[in-house]
Amino acid sequence: MPMANDHITEADFERFRDFFYRKTGIHFDVSKRYFVDKRLQARMAATGHPDFRSYFTELRFNPKNSEIEQLINSMTVNETYFFREQYQFECMTEEVMDELVRNNINMRVPTKSLKIWSIPSSSGEEPYSIAIFLLEHWPGIEEYDVEIISSDIDTAMLAKCKKGIYSERSVQYLPKNIKDKYFKYDALTKFYHLSPDIKNAINFTQVNLADIKQTRSYRNYDLIFCRNLLIYFDDISRRNAAEVFFDALKPGGYIFLGHSESMSRISSLFTVKKFRKAIAYQKPLERGL
Amino acid sequence: MGLKKSTDKTDEPQDSVSFEALVELLNHGSMAEKRLAARDLADHPNGRSELILALQNETDVAVLEAILDSLQQHFDAQLANDLLDYLRSENVFVRNEVIGILQNYPDFVGPHILALLNDVDSDVRIFAVDILQLLAHPDTPQWLLSVIKDEQHINVVAAAVDRLAEVGTPEMIPELQALTERFPNQPYLSFAVKTAIHRIAEAS
Amino acid sequence: MKRVLVVDDAVTVRLYHCDLLKTAGFDVCEAENGVEALEHAMQQPFDLMLVDVNMPKMDGYRLMCEVRRQEALRGIPIVMISTEQEEQDRQQAYAKGANYYLVKPAEPELLVNIALVMTGGSQ
């Protein structure tokens, strides 16, 4: 049996870095070398490749393998908890919602209701965070209706969402007053139970983004959160998903992606918009080449 | 006011529109109608030829994206063939999107690569090398090697050298070195060759 | 220090242009396509953009249209650089708002001089 040589040279690192950047838009500079090497070595060991060259060849030339997803998973931290990537929620309540209200007033048929789509719902932390953040930080909620629809492909996840029971880890970054206000702590099981008012405010649906017919009824959204999902999709599925979001949004509507994701590897249908705390992608109000 | 539970029906059946009406919408509808028609034509037996045709005249990128997305729902050898014609399109957007799509189908694109690399038009040869940039086909390194051996056009060679920095192997180093003699006084090319050799030679 | 955004999908082209410009005293940043270039340009100021034509997702022409359309970016000079050398390519670039058009492979001195002129003289 040949000796495993999992050493990664500078040139290996450069090759990998450029490939990964082209695929995902995530750029690792030399200061991340140690982090990248460690994760690459772990993936090489897990997949039984004796050296970097053989692993990289598999990654680059085997169209049917899903190793790239595993690798992205190990290079990105994908945890879900309440108020994760809070700066985007702040961006929503400080700037985006008011702009969306103005857009709606200028519509041919003005509306006092806004629609938000949160996908994937996962175990519910994101859609519920959006709901709580709006109630706590957006004064407009007194005047406008907001509908939150949250979807997932996985029905087990949707069932979990509807239950609304969370561990200490899920709520660890919530301020105490928020925890007290929206959750009931069960000292016996050490779980937090989300208040029924919040649970009942969200419509959970099962959806497969790859199924165009299924997504067709998702229309007239003002805002979409799709964080840390597309980065795991292959090029074609990402492109499909971007198409679905484009059709689901009203003109002028926005989409937020995860912090390590960039629309630059997915689609050019959206305009890049810089807010004070975050970048969002906008479906143009009027279109042209 | 406040949070309101949505009453949207998310599983409503859609009205079906006739083929002729879809084609009419695809060519003369609003942007949203064109996109929807493009989607619906994906599953129609005669939809493909209409979509391919619309690719020629459409200028709105949002519609073009929907057409290309729709075409991909049923990818096969014939579609690869049809899309390859668009490498000659004057529309930069269509051309680049087609390159991006073809990169995902090594089995269907592979058989065309040699012909593309030998095309009379140097632009088409560059686009072929662009397809190889992400094509997961095991022959990719060999195709690139053939370019640096035989190609006369500096920009086609330069593009191939750029890709070899990622996928080249040590036995290609002499061919890379030979380029600096074949194309003297080309500072970018010699930089690219140096970079590629460094990455290949010092790889594990 | 003047800042240049180098936009090209070929990694060695980006490395080469960045090297040249850094040696000439510029601060540089890179992007692989038009969308990524816009993302960068929204978040930090640039004195010049050096833009390839053929790129995935968003090509150089569409990037230029977007830059010229957005008030915050409109004034940034753009040098287009392309393998296409026909007169009509050059004219199309100028018609769409390029400040200069270079054919690849560009002479290093020419590229640096143009960058200097476009950003208002020597560093």
Side-chain angles (χ1 to χ4, degrees):
Chain A
M1 198 182 140
M3 277 264 288
N5 172 15
D6 72 351
H7 177 66
I8 292 163
T9 67
E10 186 195 329
D12 292 337
F13 173 76
E14 289 171 356
R15 278 181 167 202
F16 170 75
R17 179 196 60 195
D18 291 342
F19 169 74
F20 197 73
Y21 167 68
R22 191 171 322 117
K23 285 291 243 194
T24 64
I26 299 174
H27 179 81
F28 293 117
D29 61 28
V30 184
S31 66
K32 292 271 166 57
R33 176 80 194 272
Y34 180 79
F35 167 90
V36 171
D37 283 8
K38 281 285 161 228
R39 274 150 190 84
L40 275 174
Q41 282 156 346
R43 290 309 308 158
M44 281 154 60
T47 51
H49 286 280
D51 53 30
F52 175 81
R53 183 196 288 197
S54 128
Y55 177 75
F56 189 64
T57 303
E58 174 80 5
L59 199 62
R60 174 66 180 75
F61 293 118
N62 185 351
K64 276 147 197 108
N65 103 9
S66 59
E67 177 53 23
I68 184 78
E69 289 163 38
Q70 300 295 326
L71 186 65
I72 293 170
N73 228 329
S74 74
M75 294 283 177
T76 53
V77 186
N78 198 7
E79 282 182 297
T80 165
Y81 47 83
F82 279 88
F83 288 15
R84 182 179 180 206
E85 291 168 30
Q86 181 170 334
Y87 63 96
Q88 288 187 335
F89 299 135
E90 289 166 359
C91 177
M92 167 180 76
T93 52
E94 289 168 17
E95 294 186 84
V96 173
M97 290 302 281
D98 292 335
E99 184 182 323
L100 292 171
V101 163
R102 286 194 297 275
N103 282 353
N104 280 345
I105 290 168
N106 294 332
M107 289 272 187
R108 254 178 312 166
V109 190
T111 161
K112 290 205 94 182
S113 162
L114 293 118
K115 271 168 76 177
I116 300 176
W117 191 10
S118 155
I119 180 168
S121 67
S122 297
S123 33
E125 286 89 340
E126 176 174 286
Y128 290 137
S129 293
I130 296 169
I132 294 172
F133 227 87
L134 285 170
L135 290 171
E136 289 294 313
H137 301 289
W138 188 52
I141 198 81
E142 302 293 328
E143 220 179 313
Y144 299 91
D145 282 331
V146 180
E147 295 173 35
I148 303 173
I149 292 89
S150 185
S151 310
D152 208 287
I153 192 169
D154 183 347
T155 47
M157 281 297 178
L158 292 168
K160 230 179 142 185
C161 291
K162 289 176 192 162
K163 271 204 189 115
I165 301 173
Y166 294 96
S167 68
E168 175 66 48
R169 206 192 49 77
S170 273
V171 299
Q172 63 185 322
Y173 297 109
L174 287 178
K176 186 173 181 306
N177 66 321
I178 299 285
K179 262 193 274 192
D180 293 347
K181 188 166 168 187
Y182 295 100
F183 293 85
K184 212 173 84 203
Y185 181 60
D186 181 343
L188 202 66
T189 58
K190 299 199 167 134
F191 277 96
Y192 289 79
H193 294 246
L194 184 64
S195 106
D197 288 350
I198 300 291
K199 279 199 293 186
N200 293 332
I202 292 174
N203 189 8
F204 289 99
T205 64
Q206 199 255 343
V207 75
N208 176 1
L209 277 178
D211 184 341
I212 288 173
K213 289 191 188 63
Q214 225 189 14
T215 56
R216 172 153 300 176
S217 47
Y218 292 78
R219 288 290 182 272
N220 290 317
Y221 283 86
D222 294 277
L223 179 60
I224 296 174
F225 283 84
C226 180
R227 308 192 300 177
N228 310 305
L229 176 71
L230 301 185
I231 196 167
Y232 302 103
F233 283 16
D234 64 30
D235 188 62
I236 294 160
S237 316
R238 280 199 289 220
R239 197 187 267 275
N240 277 331
E243 294 283 310
V244 168
F245 295 149
F246 187 85
D247 287 332
L249 282 172
K250 288 178 192 164
Y254 286 101
I255 174 163
F256 281 112
L257 298 177
H259 75 289
S260 55
E261 294 176 304
S262 153
M263 199 56 100
S264 67
R265 297 302 182 279
I266 303 170
S267 168
S268 64
L269 287 177
F270 302 88
T271 310
V272 185
K273 180 83 185 254
K274 165 96 175 93
F275 291 100
R276 281 195 297 274
K277 290 184 172 166
I279 273 208
Y281 300 91
Q282 185 177 35
K283 174 170 173 173
L285 278 163
E286 337 116 296
R287 280 210 67 88
L289 242 182
Chain B
M1 303 307 111
L3 296 176
K4 192 178 94 179
K5 187 141 183 175
S6 156
T7 50
D8 275 15
K9 298 267 185 305
T10 49
D11 51 4
E12 227 168 303
Q14 306 293 327
D15 298 336
S16 61
V17 182
S18 78
F19 177 70
E20 290 70 23
L22 285 175
V23 173
E24 175 64 22
L25 282 174
L26 176 68
N27 293 305
H28 305 289
S30 66
M31 185 265 276
E33 288 167 339
K34 285 178 172 186
R35 282 176 58 85
L36 269 180
R39 287 284 175 81
D40 283 347
L41 285 165
D43 291 326
H44 202 284
N46 301 320
R48 179 184 286 181
S49 53
E50 295 297 334
L51 290 167
I52 291 274
L53 211 61
L55 218 43
Q56 276 176 28
N57 306 315
E58 183 56 55
T59 54
D60 187 324
V61 296
V63 179
L64 287 167
E65 286 252 18
I67 293 173
L68 289 164
D69 196 48
S70 210
L71 282 168
Q72 280 186 88
Q73 304 298 320
H74 307 282
F75 206 99
D76 59 19
Q78 181 57 45
L79 181 60
N81 225 357
D82 292 342
L83 287 181
L84 283 168
D85 290 341
Y86 282 88
L87 292 181
R88 293 167 214 280
S89 168
E90 285 299 311
N91 185 331
V92 189
F93 175 77
V94 171
R95 221 164 53 206
N96 286 313
E97 285 297 293
V98 164
I99 291 170
I101 290 167
L102 293 173
Q103 285 173 334
N104 290 293
Y105 299 95
D107 294 348
F108 296 119
V109 176
H112 297 280
I113 293 292
L114 281 177
L116 292 172
L117 290 176
N118 287 301
D119 199 278
V120 287
D121 184 345
S122 63
D123 286 336
V124 171
R125 302 203 295 280
I126 290 178
F127 301 146
V129 176
D130 284 342
I131 293 174
L132 296 179
Q133 188 165 39
L134 271 174
L135 191 74
H137 193 293
D139 291 343
T140 296
Q142 289 306 316
W143 285 323
L144 292 169
L145 180 66
S146 76
V147 174
I148 64 166
K149 275 181 173 168
D150 308 328
E151 175 64 51
Q152 295 302 318
H153 195 294
I154 173 98
N155 284 325
V156 187
V157 172
V161 174
D162 176 79
R163 316 307 181 241
L164 282 173
E166 183 178 287
V167 301
T169 50
E171 63 277 11
M172 297 177 183
I173 291 175
E175 308 290 352
L176 281 163
Q177 277 162 339
L179 285 176
T180 7
E181 282 163 44
R182 203 146 70 78
F183 297 93
N185 307 318
Q186 289 291 351
Y188 164 64
L189 188 69
S190 54
F191 175 89
V193 164
K194 229 187 293 170
T195 306
I197 291 177
H198 158 75
R199 292 201 179 172
I200 294 169
E202 286 174 34
S204 59
Chain C
M1 207 186 256
K2 302 282 184 180
R3 293 173 49 76
V4 185
L5 181 57
V6 174
V7 193
D8 201 301
D9 60 325
V11 59
T12 52
V13 174
R14 289 198 305 273
L15 280 173
Y16 180 63
H17 289 160
C18 286
D19 262 19
L20 286 177
L21 292 166
K22 270 194 256 179
T23 309
F26 289 95
D27 193 8
V28 293
C29 174
E30 353 175 346
E32 199 216 40
N33 65 42
V35 184
E36 194 181 0
L38 281 176
E39 290 173 353
H40 286 316
M42 289 288 176
Q43 298 182 84
Q44 39 185 312
F46 289 99
D47 301 290
L48 176 69
M49 290 169 85
L50 180 63
V51 176
D52 181 28
V53 170
N54 286 303
M55 294 181 290
K57 301 299 173 198
M58 184 187 280
D59 59 73
Y61 287 126
R62 287 185 63 221
L63 169 60
M64 192 152 66
C65 284
E66 281 295 317
V67 169
R68 295 294 179 242
R69 218 172 55 173
Q70 307 234 10
E71 213 180 311
L73 308 178
R74 196 167 287 160
I76 304 175
I78 295 179
V79 174
M80 294 290 269
I81 177 159
S82 171
T83 55
E84 290 161 65
Q85 46 195 329
E86 312 271 319
E87 186 50 33
Q88 68 196 53
D89 299 316
R90 191 181 297 272
Q91 278 175 8
Q92 186 184 1
Y94 286 123
K96 290 190 173 174
N99 299 75
Y100 203 87
Y101 186 84
L102 279 170
V103 175
K104 284 183 181 177
E107 284 296 325
E109 296 79 17
L110 179 63
L111 193 145
V112 167
N113 281 333
I114 286 166
L116 287 170
V117 171
M118 292 284 162
T119 54
S122 62
Q123 297 294 293

